[in-house]
Amino acid sequence: RIIEAQKDGIVVVDGAYMEYAKAKSSNYFIEPKELLKYDNVIYLGTFSKAFGLGGMRVGYGIGRKELIKLLYKVRPPFNITTLSLVAACEALNDMEFVKEAIELNFKEMNRYIEFAKKYNFEYIDSATNFITYLFGNNLNSTYIANELLKRGVIIRDLAGYNLNGIRITIGKERENQIFFEKFQEVLRDGDR
C-alpha cells in the first residue's frame, strides 16, 4: 500500500536484517525481485549482518534499471574496496556459514529472552541480530549503558530515542556470557 501510494518519490526497502527475518518467519520476508515490478522502489541489502562482513562496509541495491542509472550519477567512483568486493563475492558462495550464523543468533537470543524474564525486563520480540530491553521506571538505561561500558561491554542506550531501554547485539556464546555476568554486576551494584 505504501509503495502504491507513493507516486512522486522513491521507496527504499531496508533489507539489512532480511536473512534473519526470513529464518524467523516467512511472514517477515520480502523477496527483493518481487519489488522489481515497481518503478520507484529500491531494495537495499548488506553483507554486514548475517554474512559477517561488518568491517568490509559492502552492501547492494536492487531496483529497476532506470532507477539504478539515476543513482549512478551520484555514486562516488571508488565507493568500495577491491578486498571488500572479493569478500562479498566469496560470502555468497558460503551460504552454509550464513545459515549457521543465523541459527546461532536465535539460539543465543533465547538466552537473552530467558534473562529478561528472570529479571522482569520487558523486551521487544526480534527478527534481527539484536534484542531490545525496556525498563519502564525500574532502571535507568543511561546508567546501565555507562556502567556496562566501564566493564568493557558496549551496548546501545536508547534514551536518545526517548526510550528507557538498551539494544544489545547478539554475539557468540562466550561474548553473551560476559554480557550476562557484567549486567548482573551492574544490577547488584545498583542496589547498593
Side-chain angles (χ1 to χ4, degrees):
R1 288 187 305 221
I2 292 170
I3 292 170
E4 290 169 357
Q6 182 63 3
K7 300 295 182 203
D8 297 327
I10 296 172
V11 176
V12 178
V13 176
D14 180 353
Y17 299 100
M18 196 58 67
E19 293 84 5
Y20 294 100
K22 182 180 181 181
K24 182 150 186 178
S25 169
S26 61
N27 294 333
Y28 298 130
F29 180 62
I30 296 171
E31 181 67 61
K33 69 181 177 184
E34 294 294 321
L35 299 174
L36 291 174
K37 63 185 173 189
Y38 300 103
D39 294 333
N40 63 334
V41 177
I42 186 164
Y43 175 93
L44 300 180
T46 181
F47 288 89
S48 296
K49 309 298 181 200
F51 288 91
L53 297 179
M56 301 307 262
R57 299 306 209 205
V58 65
Y60 58 93
I62 299 173
R64 298 282 298 263
K65 186 176 183 179
E66 300 78 19
L67 182 57
I68 300 299
K69 283 173 78 172
L70 286 173
L71 293 174
Y72 261 79
K73 291 179 181 179
V74 296
R75 182 183 71 87
F78 304 108
N79 63 339
I80 185 172
T81 68
T82 302
L83 181 59
S84 294
L85 185 57
V86 169
C89 290
E90 286 301 314
L92 289 171
N93 292 321
D94 193 2
M95 294 307 289
E96 187 60 31
F97 169 83
V98 174
K99 181 178 179 250
E100 290 173 9
I102 291 170
E103 287 173 1
L104 175 64
N105 175 76
F106 287 119
K107 176 183 172 209
E108 289 297 306
M109 187 176 293
N110 286 331
R111 294 177 66 199
Y112 280 89
I113 291 169
E114 292 306 313
F115 188 87
K117 289 176 180 176
K118 177 179 177 182
Y119 287 95
N120 278 334
F121 300 150
E122 188 178 340
Y123 64 91
I124 298 174
D125 187 43
S126 178
T128 66
N129 69 338
F130 63 86
I131 191 166
T132 301
Y133 286 170
L134 300 172
F135 301 124
N137 295 323
N138 300 330
L139 300 167
N140 181 285
S141 64
T142 301
Y143 169 80
I144 291 169
N146 289 336
E147 290 299 310
L148 285 170
L149 184 59
K150 289 176 190 175
R151 291 165 171 83
V153 176
I154 302 171
I155 52 92
R156 180 173 291 174
D157 178 13
L158 299 177
Y161 298 95
N162 291 324
L163 291 171
N164 184 23
I166 59 174
R167 174 181 146 167
I168 310 136
T169 300
I170 309 296
K172 296 177 183 172
E173 184 177 0
R174 179 68 189 129
E175 295 165 334
N176 296 326
Q177 188 58 40
I178 291 169
F179 168 82
F180 296 132
E181 291 168 6
K182 299 301 180 183
F183 196 5
Q184 286 171 325
E185 284 178 20
V186 170
L187 293 172
R188 278 193 306 271
D189 291 350
D191 289 340
R192 293 181 188 172

